[in-house]
Amino acid sequence: MSLKNILDIEELNKTHVLKIIESTGYFKEVLGRDLKKVPALRGKTIINIFYEPSTRTRTSFELAAKRLSADVINFSPSSSSMKKGETELDTIKTILEMKADLAVVRHKDSGFVKYISEHITIPVINAGDGRHAHPTQALLDLFTIYCHFKRMEKIKIAIVGDILNSRVARSDISLFKKMDLEVFTVSPSMLLPEDMSYFDTKNFECIDEIIGQCDVIYMLRMQFERQNKKFYPSVREYNRFFTLDFKRFNNMKEGAILMHPGPVNRGIEIDGRVLDMEDRNLAKIKIGEQVGNGVAVRMALLHYLLSQK
Amino acid sequence: MREKATVLNESDMDRIVKRIAHEIIERNKGSNNLIFLGIQKKGIPLAERIRDHIENLEKTKIDFGKLDISFYRDDIDKKIKTDFNITDIPFEIKDKDIILVDDVLFTGRTIRAALDAIMDFGRPKSIQLVVLIDRGHRELPIRADYVGKNLPTSLNEYVEVMFKEIEGEDKVSICWI
């Protein structure tokens, strides 16, 4: 049962996932109180090391730690001695000499977080490494789905967009399949990995083929920063086959929900006008709720890693 | 764990619930300003029974909340397995007289944590503690206002409290660890 780090979905078994999802509900209750803070991790120090820009994940981890009364240090390489030529590992070891209890790490290279975890003794949480994994996003997505449907098994979910460059897609697909959801992908072949056998999911080349049958439509962010060549002819072409516009929004199955890990490229993954309806469609558009649930999931993970044997 | 002796049976527990209900009404001169908080898990059924009895006697409704103290424990470094339960206090506690209920009073650390948790929800007028069993061995300056039974124990014994709502029978027994 013991887990030292959260690096990847692969190292979690079903029992871990169910335990995390169950305890997240209790942490979410704290966020609904007037005084949104409990002393569970008082005296613990958590360090956020983000080599890649991030608003929601870093803020989410920071808030999660603070809601549990832990101290947080935010470290960003642009304002550090790395500019003076210190290596990443030396920098991290220096910071850890200051007696942190847990590190949250994001980096642009796949596998970097695992490398760090092998060289330091405290628990490490992967907050996203390259194209590889983003396990806390996948867990908060699963929690959001579970909160809405009160079950996981046999939920049909379409993951739409840039599968190739997306660590969210990789972690989501492996977590959802592990928990017996029915996962489909919707993506142009240029934005799929060459070898899809690892995922073993059926792909559709137009969102209209499947939109009416799915309980969850999960739009991925177009990862422009990782696209080193042009993957589709034009935005208009992409809009025709993949973008979630008004018509497709209305064609979604009764009771289905729309998700996106954020930040949204308006007009590419989702029509801006659909996004602007979120306040009136909270039961259907879950993008804001995902952010809120992110804090609760991260509270559960921090507490889990710092409280077990 | 081996059972050594039964301390309370169903009718003993029933009499205790009724007696404590009367004591609470007497001390608070009625039940106007009272609310009940049961500590997860075994404080809940006991609190419900006493609350129900007071409601019957006083012909009134009394708010009832559930309190989980996992987030307020002081022993995270002892790596004790944590089972979370829901905290549900859907009403204002400000200026209320809180009847806090737990099954066994032992070191006092659970009650310390519960007091911290309650203060995060507001500033009550008073907090009074009900326990079914006071087994001694306090590590903190905490005492109960209403005690079902004082039960001197040794540290290598364990007090097992069972409720119909959870275990299917009402019984308190003392066991060897």
PDB file of all heavy atoms in Angstrom, chain B residues 51-84:
ATOM      1  N   ARG B  51     -29.539  12.966  22.222  1.00  0.00           N
ATOM      2  CA  ARG B  51     -30.273  14.074  21.595  1.00  0.00           C
ATOM      3  C   ARG B  51     -31.758  13.677  21.423  1.00  0.00           C
ATOM      4  O   ARG B  51     -32.665  14.434  21.772  1.00  0.00           O
ATOM      5  CB  ARG B  51     -29.628  14.395  20.239  1.00  0.00           C
ATOM      6  CG  ARG B  51     -30.064  15.715  19.616  1.00  0.00           C
ATOM      7  CD  ARG B  51     -31.277  15.604  18.696  1.00  0.00           C
ATOM      8  NE  ARG B  51     -31.227  14.495  17.768  1.00  0.00           N
ATOM      9  CZ  ARG B  51     -31.100  14.625  16.460  1.00  0.00           C
ATOM     10  NH1 ARG B  51     -30.976  15.822  15.940  1.00  0.00           N
ATOM     11  NH2 ARG B  51     -31.126  13.551  15.681  1.00  0.00           N
ATOM     12  N   ASP B  52     -31.980  12.460  20.891  1.00  0.00           N
ATOM     13  CA  ASP B  52     -33.371  12.019  20.668  1.00  0.00           C
ATOM     14  C   ASP B  52     -34.153  12.003  21.981  1.00  0.00           C
ATOM     15  O   ASP B  52     -35.323  12.381  22.030  1.00  0.00           O
ATOM     16  CB  ASP B  52     -33.393  10.613  20.049  1.00  0.00           C
ATOM     17  CG  ASP B  52     -32.871  10.620  18.622  1.00  0.00           C
ATOM     18  OD1 ASP B  52     -32.691  11.735  18.080  1.00  0.00           O
ATOM     19  OD2 ASP B  52     -32.624   9.533  18.068  1.00  0.00           O
ATOM     20  N   HIS B  53     -33.490  11.552  23.033  1.00  0.00           N
ATOM     21  CA  HIS B  53     -34.173  11.465  24.323  1.00  0.00           C
ATOM     22  C   HIS B  53     -34.535  12.857  24.840  1.00  0.00           C
ATOM     23  O   HIS B  53     -35.648  13.069  25.347  1.00  0.00           O
ATOM     24  CB  HIS B  53     -33.296  10.718  25.335  1.00  0.00           C
ATOM     25  CG  HIS B  53     -34.065  10.200  26.505  1.00  0.00           C
ATOM     26  ND1 HIS B  53     -35.043   9.229  26.380  1.00  0.00           N
ATOM     27  CD2 HIS B  53     -34.035  10.541  27.814  1.00  0.00           C
ATOM     28  CE1 HIS B  53     -35.570   8.997  27.574  1.00  0.00           C
ATOM     29  NE2 HIS B  53     -34.980   9.775  28.457  1.00  0.00           N
ATOM     30  N   ILE B  54     -33.615  13.799  24.705  1.00  0.00           N
ATOM     31  CA  ILE B  54     -33.902  15.170  25.139  1.00  0.00           C
ATOM     32  C   ILE B  54     -35.026  15.764  24.293  1.00  0.00           C
ATOM     33  O   ILE B  54     -35.926  16.431  24.817  1.00  0.00           O
ATOM     34  CB  ILE B  54     -32.631  16.055  25.067  1.00  0.00           C
ATOM     35  CG1 ILE B  54     -31.600  15.552  26.080  1.00  0.00           C
ATOM     36  CG2 ILE B  54     -32.966  17.524  25.349  1.00  0.00           C
ATOM     37  CD1 ILE B  54     -30.316  16.336  26.104  1.00  0.00           C
ATOM     38  N   GLU B  55     -34.995  15.514  22.985  1.00  0.00           N
ATOM     39  CA  GLU B  55     -36.067  16.031  22.117  1.00  0.00           C
ATOM     40  C   GLU B  55     -37.428  15.508  22.585  1.00  0.00           C
ATOM     41  O   GLU B  55     -38.415  16.243  22.604  1.00  0.00           O
ATOM     42  CB  GLU B  55     -35.820  15.633  20.653  1.00  0.00           C
ATOM     43  CG  GLU B  55     -34.748  16.485  19.978  1.00  0.00           C
ATOM     44  CD  GLU B  55     -34.604  16.178  18.500  1.00  0.00           C
ATOM     45  OE1 GLU B  55     -35.073  15.099  18.059  1.00  0.00           O
ATOM     46  OE2 GLU B  55     -34.024  17.013  17.777  1.00  0.00           O
ATOM     47  N   ASN B  56     -37.471  14.226  22.967  1.00  0.00           N
ATOM     48  CA  ASN B  56     -38.731  13.647  23.456  1.00  0.00           C
ATOM     49  C   ASN B  56     -39.185  14.284  24.748  1.00  0.00           C
ATOM     50  O   ASN B  56     -40.361  14.588  24.927  1.00  0.00           O
ATOM     51  CB  ASN B  56     -38.572  12.141  23.687  1.00  0.00           C
ATOM     52  CG  ASN B  56     -38.769  11.376  22.405  1.00  0.00           C
ATOM     53  OD1 ASN B  56     -39.445  11.863  21.512  1.00  0.00           O
ATOM     54  ND2 ASN B  56     -38.160  10.203  22.313  1.00  0.00           N
ATOM     55  N   LEU B  57     -38.223  14.465  25.664  1.00  0.00           N
ATOM     56  CA  LEU B  57     -38.570  15.028  26.968  1.00  0.00           C
ATOM     57  C   LEU B  57     -39.015  16.474  26.847  1.00  0.00           C
ATOM     58  O   LEU B  57     -39.956  16.912  27.497  1.00  0.00           O
ATOM     59  CB  LEU B  57     -37.364  14.957  27.906  1.00  0.00           C
ATOM     60  CG  LEU B  57     -36.930  13.564  28.377  1.00  0.00           C
ATOM     61  CD1 LEU B  57     -35.570  13.637  29.053  1.00  0.00           C
ATOM     62  CD2 LEU B  57     -37.971  12.981  29.332  1.00  0.00           C
ATOM     63  N   GLU B  58     -38.317  17.234  26.009  1.00  0.00           N
ATOM     64  CA  GLU B  58     -38.533  18.678  25.945  1.00  0.00           C
ATOM     65  C   GLU B  58     -39.474  19.086  24.817  1.00  0.00           C
ATOM     66  O   GLU B  58     -39.764  20.271  24.660  1.00  0.00           O
ATOM     67  CB  GLU B  58     -37.173  19.391  25.750  1.00  0.00           C
ATOM     68  CG  GLU B  58     -36.231  19.254  26.930  1.00  0.00           C
ATOM     69  CD  GLU B  58     -36.533  20.262  28.017  1.00  0.00           C
ATOM     70  OE1 GLU B  58     -36.387  21.462  27.758  1.00  0.00           O
ATOM     71  OE2 GLU B  58     -36.940  19.839  29.117  1.00  0.00           O
ATOM     72  N   LYS B  59     -39.891  18.107  24.002  1.00  0.00           N
ATOM     73  CA  LYS B  59     -40.760  18.378  22.844  1.00  0.00           C
ATOM     74  C   LYS B  59     -40.175  19.504  21.986  1.00  0.00           C
ATOM     75  O   LYS B  59     -40.786  20.551  21.742  1.00  0.00           O
ATOM     76  CB  LYS B  59     -42.177  18.781  23.297  1.00  0.00           C
ATOM     77  CG  LYS B  59     -42.827  17.783  24.237  1.00  0.00           C
ATOM     78  CD  LYS B  59     -43.330  16.552  23.476  1.00  0.00           C
ATOM     79  CE  LYS B  59     -43.924  15.529  24.420  1.00  0.00           C
ATOM     80  NZ  LYS B  59     -43.047  14.374  24.660  1.00  0.00           N
ATOM     81  N   THR B  60     -38.950  19.291  21.538  1.00  0.00           N
ATOM     82  CA  THR B  60     -38.260  20.336  20.768  1.00  0.00           C
ATOM     83  C   THR B  60     -37.346  19.682  19.749  1.00  0.00           C
ATOM     84  O   THR B  60     -37.187  18.458  19.735  1.00  0.00           O
ATOM     85  CB  THR B  60     -37.450  21.232  21.725  1.00  0.00           C
ATOM     86  OG1 THR B  60     -36.658  22.125  20.956  1.00  0.00           O
ATOM     87  CG2 THR B  60     -36.532  20.434  22.610  1.00  0.00           C
ATOM     88  N   LYS B  61     -36.762  20.500  18.867  1.00  0.00           N
ATOM     89  CA  LYS B  61     -35.783  20.003  17.879  1.00  0.00           C
ATOM     90  C   LYS B  61     -34.411  20.558  18.226  1.00  0.00           C
ATOM     91  O   LYS B  61     -34.276  21.743  18.530  1.00  0.00           O
ATOM     92  CB  LYS B  61     -36.164  20.457  16.462  1.00  0.00           C
ATOM     93  CG  LYS B  61     -37.291  19.642  15.857  1.00  0.00           C
ATOM     94  CD  LYS B  61     -36.735  18.343  15.268  1.00  0.00           C
ATOM     95  CE  LYS B  61     -37.861  17.328  15.050  1.00  0.00           C
ATOM     96  NZ  LYS B  61     -37.414  15.943  15.264  1.00  0.00           N
ATOM     97  N   ILE B  62     -33.398  19.698  18.182  1.00  0.00           N
ATOM     98  CA  ILE B  62     -32.049  20.142  18.507  1.00  0.00           C
ATOM     99  C   ILE B  62     -31.123  19.822  17.328  1.00  0.00           C
ATOM    100  O   ILE B  62     -31.136  18.701  16.822  1.00  0.00           O
ATOM    101  CB  ILE B  62     -31.535  19.439  19.781  1.00  0.00           C
ATOM    102  CG1 ILE B  62     -32.478  19.742  20.956  1.00  0.00           C
ATOM    103  CG2 ILE B  62     -30.125  19.875  20.118  1.00  0.00           C
ATOM    104  CD1 ILE B  62     -32.166  18.960  22.211  1.00  0.00           C
ATOM    105  N   ASP B  63     -30.335  20.822  16.897  1.00  0.00           N
ATOM    106  CA  ASP B  63     -29.411  20.616  15.772  1.00  0.00           C
ATOM    107  C   ASP B  63     -28.365  19.567  16.121  1.00  0.00           C
ATOM    108  O   ASP B  63     -27.894  19.495  17.255  1.00  0.00           O
ATOM    109  CB  ASP B  63     -28.697  21.928  15.420  1.00  0.00           C
ATOM    110  CG  ASP B  63     -29.580  22.848  14.594  1.00  0.00           C
ATOM    111  OD1 ASP B  63     -30.488  22.335  13.918  1.00  0.00           O
ATOM    112  OD2 ASP B  63     -29.362  24.070  14.648  1.00  0.00           O
ATOM    113  N   PHE B  64     -27.990  18.786  15.078  1.00  0.00           N
ATOM    114  CA  PHE B  64     -27.053  17.700  15.297  1.00  0.00           C
ATOM    115  C   PHE B  64     -25.965  17.725  14.229  1.00  0.00           C
ATOM    116  O   PHE B  64     -26.249  17.765  13.041  1.00  0.00           O
ATOM    117  CB  PHE B  64     -27.803  16.361  15.232  1.00  0.00           C
ATOM    118  CG  PHE B  64     -26.936  15.184  15.542  1.00  0.00           C
ATOM    119  CD1 PHE B  64     -26.783  14.762  16.848  1.00  0.00           C
ATOM    120  CD2 PHE B  64     -26.259  14.517  14.531  1.00  0.00           C
ATOM    121  CE1 PHE B  64     -25.969  13.689  17.145  1.00  0.00           C
ATOM    122  CE2 PHE B  64     -25.435  13.442  14.828  1.00  0.00           C
ATOM    123  CZ  PHE B  64     -25.295  13.023  16.139  1.00  0.00           C
ATOM    124  N   GLY B  65     -24.701  17.730  14.655  1.00  0.00           N
ATOM    125  CA  GLY B  65     -23.600  17.749  13.691  1.00  0.00           C
ATOM    126  C   GLY B  65     -22.619  16.614  13.924  1.00  0.00           C
ATOM    127  O   GLY B  65     -22.611  15.985  14.988  1.00  0.00           O
ATOM    128  N   LYS B  66     -21.817  16.341  12.878  1.00  0.00           N
ATOM    129  CA  LYS B  66     -20.795  15.301  12.984  1.00  0.00           C
ATOM    130  C   LYS B  66     -19.426  15.947  12.839  1.00  0.00           C
ATOM    131  O   LYS B  66     -19.226  16.797  11.976  1.00  0.00           O
ATOM    132  CB  LYS B  66     -20.976  14.275  11.865  1.00  0.00           C
ATOM    133  CG  LYS B  66     -22.292  13.547  11.930  1.00  0.00           C
ATOM    134  CD  LYS B  66     -22.491  12.668  10.713  1.00  0.00           C
ATOM    135  CE  LYS B  66     -23.840  11.955  10.824  1.00  0.00           C
ATOM    136  NZ  LYS B  66     -24.111  11.097   9.672  1.00  0.00           N
ATOM    137  N   LEU B  67     -18.509  15.520  13.678  1.00  0.00           N
ATOM    138  CA  LEU B  67     -17.187  16.125  13.681  1.00  0.00           C
ATOM    139  C   LEU B  67     -16.135  15.041  13.478  1.00  0.00           C
ATOM    140  O   LEU B  67     -16.114  14.045  14.186  1.00  0.00           O
ATOM    141  CB  LEU B  67     -16.978  16.825  15.043  1.00  0.00           C
ATOM    142  CG  LEU B  67     -15.779  17.730  15.201  1.00  0.00           C
ATOM    143  CD1 LEU B  67     -15.905  18.950  14.297  1.00  0.00           C
ATOM    144  CD2 LEU B  67     -15.653  18.191  16.655  1.00  0.00           C
ATOM    145  N   ASP B  68     -15.279  15.247  12.463  1.00  0.00           N
ATOM    146  CA  ASP B  68     -14.147  14.341  12.262  1.00  0.00           C
ATOM    147  C   ASP B  68     -12.885  15.105  12.620  1.00  0.00           C
ATOM    148  O   ASP B  68     -12.683  16.224  12.169  1.00  0.00           O
ATOM    149  CB  ASP B  68     -14.082  13.875  10.802  1.00  0.00           C
ATOM    150  CG  ASP B  68     -12.934  12.906  10.582  1.00  0.00           C
ATOM    151  OD1 ASP B  68     -12.907  11.865  11.252  1.00  0.00           O
ATOM    152  OD2 ASP B  68     -12.052  13.198   9.757  1.00  0.00           O
ATOM    153  N   ILE B  69     -12.024  14.496  13.437  1.00  0.00           N
ATOM    154  CA  ILE B  69     -10.882  15.266  13.940  1.00  0.00           C
ATOM    155  C   ILE B  69      -9.567  14.864  13.269  1.00  0.00           C
ATOM    156  O   ILE B  69      -8.497  15.302  13.684  1.00  0.00           O
ATOM    157  CB  ILE B  69     -10.760  15.146  15.481  1.00  0.00           C
ATOM    158  CG1 ILE B  69     -10.686  13.685  15.946  1.00  0.00           C
ATOM    159  CG2 ILE B  69     -11.936  15.819  16.164  1.00  0.00           C
ATOM    160  CD1 ILE B  69      -9.319  13.244  16.293  1.00  0.00           C
ATOM    161  N   SER B  70      -9.639  14.076  12.175  1.00  0.00           N
ATOM    162  CA  SER B  70      -8.396  13.606  11.528  1.00  0.00           C
ATOM    163  C   SER B  70      -7.441  14.738  11.172  1.00  0.00           C
ATOM    164  O   SER B  70      -6.232  14.594  11.275  1.00  0.00           O
ATOM    165  CB  SER B  70      -8.717  12.863  10.238  1.00  0.00           C
ATOM    166  OG  SER B  70      -9.720  11.931  10.436  1.00  0.00           O
ATOM    167  N   PHE B  71      -8.000  15.872  10.703  1.00  0.00           N
ATOM    168  CA  PHE B  71      -7.143  16.973  10.253  1.00  0.00           C
ATOM    169  C   PHE B  71      -6.514  17.720  11.428  1.00  0.00           C
ATOM    170  O   PHE B  71      -5.674  18.588  11.230  1.00  0.00           O
ATOM    171  CB  PHE B  71      -7.952  17.969   9.423  1.00  0.00           C
ATOM    172  CG  PHE B  71      -8.541  17.383   8.174  1.00  0.00           C
ATOM    173  CD1 PHE B  71      -9.829  17.716   7.775  1.00  0.00           C
ATOM    174  CD2 PHE B  71      -7.818  16.509   7.390  1.00  0.00           C
ATOM    175  CE1 PHE B  71     -10.374  17.176   6.621  1.00  0.00           C
ATOM    176  CE2 PHE B  71      -8.350  15.971   6.232  1.00  0.00           C
ATOM    177  CZ  PHE B  71      -9.636  16.304   5.849  1.00  0.00           C
ATOM    178  N   TYR B  72      -6.955  17.417  12.635  1.00  0.00           N
ATOM    179  CA  TYR B  72      -6.485  18.168  13.805  1.00  0.00           C
ATOM    180  C   TYR B  72      -5.600  17.336  14.728  1.00  0.00           C
ATOM    181  O   TYR B  72      -5.241  17.771  15.802  1.00  0.00           O
ATOM    182  CB  TYR B  72      -7.690  18.718  14.582  1.00  0.00           C
ATOM    183  CG  TYR B  72      -8.453  19.753  13.781  1.00  0.00           C
ATOM    184  CD1 TYR B  72      -9.401  19.374  12.851  1.00  0.00           C
ATOM    185  CD2 TYR B  72      -8.194  21.105  13.938  1.00  0.00           C
ATOM    186  CE1 TYR B  72     -10.084  20.309  12.090  1.00  0.00           C
ATOM    187  CE2 TYR B  72      -8.864  22.059  13.193  1.00  0.00           C
ATOM    188  CZ  TYR B  72      -9.808  21.652  12.273  1.00  0.00           C
ATOM    189  OH  TYR B  72     -10.459  22.588  11.529  1.00  0.00           O
ATOM    190  N   ARG B  73      -5.285  16.130  14.297  1.00  0.00           N
ATOM    191  CA  ARG B  73      -4.452  15.268  15.141  1.00  0.00           C
ATOM    192  C   ARG B  73      -3.052  15.820  15.273  1.00  0.00           C
ATOM    193  O   ARG B  73      -2.552  16.528  14.402  1.00  0.00           O
ATOM    194  CB  ARG B  73      -4.384  13.870  14.532  1.00  0.00           C
ATOM    195  CG  ARG B  73      -5.710  13.156  14.558  1.00  0.00           C
ATOM    196  CD  ARG B  73      -5.617  11.895  13.755  1.00  0.00           C
ATOM    197  NE  ARG B  73      -4.802  10.923  14.454  1.00  0.00           N
ATOM    198  CZ  ARG B  73      -5.166   9.668  14.640  1.00  0.00           C
ATOM    199  NH1 ARG B  73      -6.336   9.251  14.187  1.00  0.00           N
ATOM    200  NH2 ARG B  73      -4.386   8.836  15.262  1.00  0.00           N
ATOM    201  N   ASP B  74      -2.383  15.466  16.384  1.00  0.00           N
ATOM    202  CA  ASP B  74      -1.019  15.974  16.595  1.00  0.00           C
ATOM    203  C   ASP B  74       0.011  14.873  16.385  1.00  0.00           C
ATOM    204  O   ASP B  74       1.145  14.991  16.797  1.00  0.00           O
ATOM    205  CB  ASP B  74      -0.891  16.568  18.010  1.00  0.00           C
ATOM    206  CG  ASP B  74      -1.262  15.557  19.091  1.00  0.00           C
ATOM    207  OD1 ASP B  74      -1.517  14.378  18.745  1.00  0.00           O
ATOM    208  OD2 ASP B  74      -1.300  15.942  20.268  1.00  0.00           O
ATOM    209  N   ASP B  75      -0.412  13.779  15.741  1.00  0.00           N
ATOM    210  CA  ASP B  75       0.492  12.624  15.678  1.00  0.00           C
ATOM    211  C   ASP B  75       0.777  12.176  14.254  1.00  0.00           C
ATOM    212  O   ASP B  75       1.011  11.011  13.998  1.00  0.00           O
ATOM    213  CB  ASP B  75      -0.105  11.459  16.479  1.00  0.00           C
ATOM    214  CG  ASP B  75      -1.523  11.129  16.061  1.00  0.00           C
ATOM    215  OD1 ASP B  75      -2.008  11.745  15.088  1.00  0.00           O
ATOM    216  OD2 ASP B  75      -2.142  10.272  16.706  1.00  0.00           O
ATOM    217  N   ILE B  76       0.804  13.144  13.293  1.00  0.00           N
ATOM    218  CA  ILE B  76       1.044  12.739  11.904  1.00  0.00           C
ATOM    219  C   ILE B  76       2.406  12.065  11.758  1.00  0.00           C
ATOM    220  O   ILE B  76       2.580  11.145  10.967  1.00  0.00           O
ATOM    221  CB  ILE B  76       0.900  13.942  10.938  1.00  0.00           C
ATOM    222  CG1 ILE B  76       0.937  13.461   9.488  1.00  0.00           C
ATOM    223  CG2 ILE B  76       1.953  15.005  11.165  1.00  0.00           C
ATOM    224  CD1 ILE B  76       0.616  14.508   8.465  1.00  0.00           C
ATOM    225  N   ASP B  77       3.389  12.473  12.575  1.00  0.00           N
ATOM    226  CA  ASP B  77       4.714  11.863  12.470  1.00  0.00           C
ATOM    227  C   ASP B  77       4.762  10.465  13.066  1.00  0.00           C
ATOM    228  O   ASP B  77       5.686   9.716  12.826  1.00  0.00           O
ATOM    229  CB  ASP B  77       5.755  12.758  13.146  1.00  0.00           C
ATOM    230  CG  ASP B  77       6.040  13.992  12.292  1.00  0.00           C
ATOM    231  OD1 ASP B  77       6.048  13.835  11.061  1.00  0.00           O
ATOM    232  OD2 ASP B  77       6.210  15.079  12.852  1.00  0.00           O
ATOM    233  N   LYS B  78       3.739  10.098  13.849  1.00  0.00           N
ATOM    234  CA  LYS B  78       3.693   8.726  14.386  1.00  0.00           C
ATOM    235  C   LYS B  78       3.186   7.758  13.324  1.00  0.00           C
ATOM    236  O   LYS B  78       3.156   6.545  13.536  1.00  0.00           O
ATOM    237  CB  LYS B  78       2.776   8.669  15.617  1.00  0.00           C
ATOM    238  CG  LYS B  78       3.338   9.452  16.792  1.00  0.00           C
ATOM    239  CD  LYS B  78       2.978   8.762  18.102  1.00  0.00           C
ATOM    240  CE  LYS B  78       3.856   9.250  19.224  1.00  0.00           C
ATOM    241  NZ  LYS B  78       3.203  10.220  20.080  1.00  0.00           N
ATOM    242  N   LYS B  79       2.751   8.312  12.177  1.00  0.00           N
ATOM    243  CA  LYS B  79       2.349   7.496  11.025  1.00  0.00           C
ATOM    244  C   LYS B  79       1.244   6.506  11.368  1.00  0.00           C
ATOM    245  O   LYS B  79       1.306   5.328  11.039  1.00  0.00           O
ATOM    246  CB  LYS B  79       3.550   6.723  10.449  1.00  0.00           C
ATOM    247  CG  LYS B  79       4.788   7.568  10.252  1.00  0.00           C
ATOM    248  CD  LYS B  79       4.690   8.423   9.019  1.00  0.00           C
ATOM    249  CE  LYS B  79       6.000   9.139   8.751  1.00  0.00           C
ATOM    250  NZ  LYS B  79       5.891  10.181   7.744  1.00  0.00           N
ATOM    251  N   ILE B  80       0.258   6.983  12.091  1.00  0.00           N
ATOM    252  CA  ILE B  80      -0.894   6.136  12.386  1.00  0.00           C
ATOM    253  C   ILE B  80      -1.849   6.210  11.204  1.00  0.00           C
ATOM    254  O   ILE B  80      -2.081   7.281  10.645  1.00  0.00           O
ATOM    255  CB  ILE B  80      -1.590   6.606  13.675  1.00  0.00           C
ATOM    256  CG1 ILE B  80      -0.651   6.414  14.856  1.00  0.00           C
ATOM    257  CG2 ILE B  80      -2.901   5.852  13.892  1.00  0.00           C
ATOM    258  CD1 ILE B  80      -1.078   7.123  16.101  1.00  0.00           C
ATOM    259  N   LYS B  81      -2.397   5.071  10.818  1.00  0.00           N
ATOM    260  CA  LYS B  81      -3.289   5.034   9.658  1.00  0.00           C
ATOM    261  C   LYS B  81      -4.510   5.923   9.918  1.00  0.00           C
ATOM    262  O   LYS B  81      -5.123   5.872  10.969  1.00  0.00           O
ATOM    263  CB  LYS B  81      -3.741   3.594   9.439  1.00  0.00           C
ATOM    264  CG  LYS B  81      -4.523   3.396   8.172  1.00  0.00           C
ATOM    265  CD  LYS B  81      -4.651   1.890   7.896  1.00  0.00           C
ATOM    266  CE  LYS B  81      -5.809   1.614   6.963  1.00  0.00           C
ATOM    267  NZ  LYS B  81      -7.110   1.652   7.620  1.00  0.00           N
ATOM    268  N   THR B  82      -4.808   6.788   8.947  1.00  0.00           N
ATOM    269  CA  THR B  82      -5.914   7.718   9.117  1.00  0.00           C
ATOM    270  C   THR B  82      -7.110   7.281   8.283  1.00  0.00           C
ATOM    271  O   THR B  82      -6.986   7.104   7.082  1.00  0.00           O
ATOM    272  CB  THR B  82      -5.500   9.132   8.656  1.00  0.00           C
ATOM    273  OG1 THR B  82      -4.190   9.385   9.119  1.00  0.00           O
ATOM    274  CG2 THR B  82      -6.442  10.172   9.192  1.00  0.00           C
ATOM    275  N   ASP B  83      -8.232   7.100   8.942  1.00  0.00           N
ATOM    276  CA  ASP B  83      -9.478   6.884   8.211  1.00  0.00           C
ATOM    277  C   ASP B  83     -10.302   8.151   8.348  1.00  0.00           C
ATOM    278  O   ASP B  83     -10.746   8.485   9.431  1.00  0.00           O
ATOM    279  CB  ASP B  83     -10.270   5.705   8.800  1.00  0.00           C
ATOM    280  CG  ASP B  83      -9.745   4.395   8.277  1.00  0.00           C
ATOM    281  OD1 ASP B  83      -9.395   4.348   7.086  1.00  0.00           O
ATOM    282  OD2 ASP B  83      -9.670   3.429   9.053  1.00  0.00           O
ATOM    283  N   PHE B  84     -10.464   8.848   7.216  1.00  0.00           N
ATOM    284  CA  PHE B  84     -11.229  10.083   7.279  1.00  0.00           C
ATOM    285  C   PHE B  84     -12.717   9.782   7.369  1.00  0.00           C
ATOM    286  O   PHE B  84     -13.191   8.770   6.879  1.00  0.00           O
ATOM    287  CB  PHE B  84     -10.986  10.918   6.024  1.00  0.00           C
ATOM    288  CG  PHE B  84      -9.568  11.356   5.871  1.00  0.00           C
ATOM    289  CD1 PHE B  84      -8.779  10.825   4.868  1.00  0.00           C
ATOM    290  CD2 PHE B  84      -9.025  12.288   6.721  1.00  0.00           C
ATOM    291  CE1 PHE B  84      -7.464  11.221   4.716  1.00  0.00           C
ATOM    292  CE2 PHE B  84      -7.713  12.694   6.588  1.00  0.00           C
ATOM    293  CZ  PHE B  84      -6.930  12.151   5.580  1.00  0.00           C
TER     294      PHE B  84
END
